[in-house]
Amino acid sequence: MELRVLQYFLAVAREQSISGAAESLHLSQPTLSTQLKSLEREVGKQLLIRGTKGSRKVLLTEEGMMLRKRAEEILELVSKAKRELAAPDEAIAGDIYIGTGEADSIRILADIARDLQGRYPDIHYHIHSGNAAFVFEQLEKGLIDFGVVHGAADVSQYGSIKLPQRDTWGVLMRADAPLACKERIAPHDLWDKPLILSAQKSEDWPLSQWFGRDVEKLNVVATYNLLFNASLLVDVGMGYAVCYDKIINTCGGDLCFRPLFPDLEAEATLIWKRYRVFTKAARLFADELWTRCAPEAGEAELR
């Protein structure tokens, strides 16, 4: 399977048209059609649903959608490798890829990036947002250098550094909501309320024990992966979002945040794949973080 042909396939998926893709690729339509048919023969699956006589629109089959996802990952890895190899030997430059959920605890990463930018302006940072499952997947595929996971995630198979700041659990709500008059939110306050919870729940989810009852018996009206979208549901009065503090700016707005009682906090951990070969830029970033988080331990062991 050639990279060139994968690029052709992605162009068709993007344009939803063989003629449109051929034009963008500066190829003849028969040449492109031949390449696509050869790809389908190679994988042994139909990847495209060609338009009927009255339509030129091309759709992807289920196998085609799967290949599109993998092709995008493959080509991104190739592009990443080229950029890393093209960096001058004597310079500290290049790209650092970090996958993380939304939390104020990652502010230390922003501080390090800002400080390094002054000394090494040719280092560029790419932040990919998602939950822990997303972070682990991206890390395993080599699409990110570092990941940040929160709470009790199993990081035993990875190199890791604990971040110094913990995130506080609480409730995001409208400022005129009934519970807004309380300074802290107890479990029984939420038992009969419409809740918006993180979709990333597991058996060891810390809130399962805090609630004091089966989560399945709560009135969960919506779930979220990233809090900004959940905050819109809160803003229109759909319910109360249980989340970390300091992600949504509530100063002077229609929303407010109230911490949980008893207090509930989550720690954050920076992780990386062991035995991975890091670029100079990624190594520098990890060493700087290690110096700030664990100065007594010496240089970071990226193994």
Side-chain angles (χ1 to χ4, degrees):
M1 190 179 300
E2 296 183 31
L3 296 177
R4 171 178 51 84
V5 179
L6 290 180
Q7 291 173 329
Y8 294 169
F9 171 74
L10 288 179
V12 174
R14 181 179 64 251
E15 300 290 340
Q16 295 187 325
S17 163
I18 292 178
S19 60
E23 183 177 351
S24 69
L25 294 167
H26 305 292
L27 294 173
S28 69
Q29 186 170 334
T31 297
L32 180 56
S33 295
T34 299
Q35 293 288 343
L36 294 172
K37 289 177 181 177
S38 296
L39 178 61
E40 288 181 317
R41 285 196 299 270
E42 182 179 356
V43 300
K45 299 286 184 179
Q46 181 181 356
L47 302 173
L48 303 169
I49 301 174
R50 278 76 173 175
T52 58
K53 188 174 181 179
S55 172
R56 294 184 178 182
K57 190 173 183 178
V58 175
L59 302 177
L60 298 180
T61 63
E62 184 176 347
E63 291 80 6
M65 288 186 285
M66 184 184 303
L67 180 61
R68 178 179 62 182
K69 180 180 179 182
R70 299 306 181 204
E72 288 171 343
E73 292 171 353
I74 290 169
L75 293 175
E76 173 57 27
L77 279 174
V78 171
S79 177
K80 186 171 182 287
K82 287 181 178 178
R83 290 193 297 270
E84 291 172 353
L85 291 171
D89 292 338
E90 68 281 0
I92 296 181
D95 300 278
I96 297 175
Y97 295 83
I98 302 171
T100 179
E102 294 179 303
D104 188 62
S105 56
I106 66 169
R107 184 177 295 275
I108 188 173
L109 306 186
D111 289 340
I112 292 172
R114 177 203 60 208
D115 293 346
L116 291 180
Q117 185 181 51
R119 289 180 281 158
Y120 306 102
D122 291 327
I123 296 179
H124 304 284
Y125 302 87
H126 307 273
I127 309 300
H128 300 266
S129 298
N131 59 21
F134 167 84
V135 170
F136 283 123
E137 180 183 13
Q138 295 288 295
L139 204 58
E140 287 300 318
K141 291 177 178 177
L143 295 173
I144 57 177
D145 300 303
F146 304 103
V148 178
V149 292
H150 298 82
D154 182 8
V155 299
S156 59
Q157 302 302 311
Y158 299 87
S160 63
I161 302 175
K162 295 288 186 185
L163 301 186
Q165 185 174 335
R166 289 174 172 258
D167 293 292
T168 300
W169 280 100
V171 182
L172 184 70
M173 65 186 82
R174 286 186 56 88
D176 58 1
L179 293 182
C181 62
K182 300 177 70 71
E183 292 185 3
R184 294 180 178 275
I185 306 300
H188 64 267
D189 293 327
L190 300 175
W191 286 349
D192 62 344
K193 297 296 188 294
L195 301 180
I196 303 169
L197 301 182
S198 169
Q200 186 185 317
K201 297 190 295 292
S202 61
E203 293 181 359
D204 57 355
W205 192 49
L207 286 171
S208 298
Q209 184 175 357
W210 182 89
F211 271 115
R213 61 169 50 186
D214 188 345
V215 176
E216 299 300 323
K217 295 181 180 178
L218 298 173
N219 180 19
V220 181
V221 297
T223 62
Y224 68 89
N225 281 340
L226 298 177
L227 187 58
F228 177 77
N229 292 330
S231 74
L232 300 180
L233 300 181
V234 174
D235 191 41
V236 299
M238 192 167 172
Y240 296 80
V242 183
C243 58
Y244 292 148
D245 192 8
K246 299 180 180 178
I247 302 176
I248 301 298
N249 184 3
T250 59
C251 295
D254 296 329
L255 304 182
C256 64
F257 180 90
R258 298 291 182 266
L260 301 182
F261 178 81
D263 296 343
L264 189 62
E265 294 182 330
E267 63 181 10
T269 307
L270 184 87
I271 61 176
W272 60 86
K273 288 188 71 174
R274 288 176 175 167
Y275 310 111
R276 172 175 178 150
V277 178
F278 282 89
T279 63
K280 290 181 180 179
R283 176 73 205 215
L284 179 68
F285 184 85
D287 284 342
E288 186 69 23
L289 181 63
W290 193 272
T291 298
R292 300 190 189 194
C293 296
E296 72 285 352
E299 191 176 84
E301 293 290 339
L302 295 188
R303 298 182 300 186

